[in-house]
Amino acid sequence: MSASTPLRDVIGLDSTLPRLGESTLVMIDFQNTYRRGVMALEGVEPALAAGARLLAAARSAGARVVHIVNDGGEGTPYDIRAEIGAISPEVAPIDGEPVVVKQFPDAFHRTDLEKTLRDLGAGLDLVLAGFMTHMCVTFTAQGAFHLGYRPTVVAEATATRSLTAPDGGLVPAADLQRASLTTITDLFGVVVPTVDHLAV
């Protein structure tokens, strides 16, 4: 069995990698939510460390940076008023880096993310990282694509969790991670394996 031609190639989309310094880094849901408890992700600590390296590289290169947090409300693992829902200190925003609050997987849906990007003078190239790969990273890449942006996802700075499939079987986190990133590369954007694959 051979691989099918990606939709990006079929319709002639450009898959050229952006330069980090000329892009806007969107840090998606790097919240304590995913480091422990019911929402803990497999591989979260290495992914968080990669996210911290990506953020440092973006800042050094002069890239625009936007942080996204998911607010699930008080008493949930996504309570942004509590420590559990806070952005992890390794990747915490600094002065001048806006934080956009969302309540849906697509960070563009019913938020001011698009306005924030315009106000920052952002171009079309977005670099995405964060949690969870199969949910908010994938759907934010899709949302960006629908709005005409060119998203690039840094794989090592993402992570997800094992889930039960509709047939009752287990989908291991590694398989779901791979499938999610493959979905993105088929149409919505480009995926690079590591931070080091991005030119500054």
Side-chain angles (χ1 to χ4, degrees), residues 66-80:
V66 178
H67 300 263
I68 309 294
V69 291
N70 188 78
D71 184 7
E74 293 184 13
T76 74
Y78 296 94
D79 183 356
I80 63 173

Side-chain angles (χ1 to χ4, degrees), residues 107-124:
F108 288 93
H109 183 65
R110 293 173 61 177
T111 72
D112 61 359
L113 176 55
E114 192 175 13
K115 179 181 182 301
T116 298
L117 293 173
R118 287 197 306 268
D119 290 347
L120 288 174
L124 296 180

Side-chain angles (χ1 to χ4, degrees), residues 7-22:
L7 281 169
R8 294 186 65 82
D9 293 347
V10 170
I11 62 179
L13 292 175
D14 182 10
S15 293
T16 304
L17 293 181
R19 297 189 72 85
L20 184 57
E22 298 170 357

Side-chain angles (χ1 to χ4, degrees), residues 7-185:
L7 281 169
R8 294 186 65 82
D9 293 347
V10 170
I11 62 179
L13 292 175
D14 182 10
S15 293
T16 304
L17 293 181
R19 297 189 72 85
L20 184 57
E22 298 170 357
S23 305
T24 302
L25 174 61
V26 181
M27 300 284 284
I28 303 168
D29 299 354
F30 275 95
Q31 294 166 257
N32 293 325
T33 307
Y34 295 113
R35 302 182 78 174
R36 61 182 183 274
V38 67
M39 292 304 300
L41 306 182
E42 295 179 39
V44 66
E45 295 302 327
L48 177 60
R53 286 191 288 107
L54 175 61
L55 179 58
R59 287 169 175 165
S60 178
R64 302 165 186 86
V65 178
V66 178
H67 300 263
I68 309 294
V69 291
N70 188 78
D71 184 7
E74 293 184 13
T76 74
Y78 296 94
D79 183 356
I80 63 173
R81 289 151 295 274
E83 193 271 339
I84 187 64
I87 295 175
S88 296
E90 295 92 331
V91 291
I94 60 175
D95 287 346
E97 295 177 353
V99 177
V100 174
V101 178
K102 68 176 178 61
Q103 294 181 314
F104 297 90
D106 177 0
F108 288 93
H109 183 65
R110 293 173 61 177
T111 72
D112 61 359
L113 176 55
E114 192 175 13
K115 179 181 182 301
T116 298
L117 293 173
R118 287 197 306 268
D119 290 347
L120 288 174
L124 296 180
D125 288 315
L126 305 180
V127 174
L128 310 182
F131 308 134
M132 296 177 287
T133 316
H134 79 282
M135 190 59 63
C136 297
V137 174
T138 296
F139 286 103
T140 298
Q142 179 188 40
F145 173 82
H146 287 166
L147 292 168
Y149 291 99
R150 295 188 296 259
T152 297
V153 175
V154 181
E156 72 166 339
T158 67
T160 192
R161 59 198 175 112
S162 300
L163 292 174
T164 302
D167 64 4
L170 179 70
V171 180
D175 291 351
L176 188 56
Q177 173 88 350
R178 188 173 183 224
S180 302
L181 295 172
T182 302
T183 296
I184 293 168
T185 60

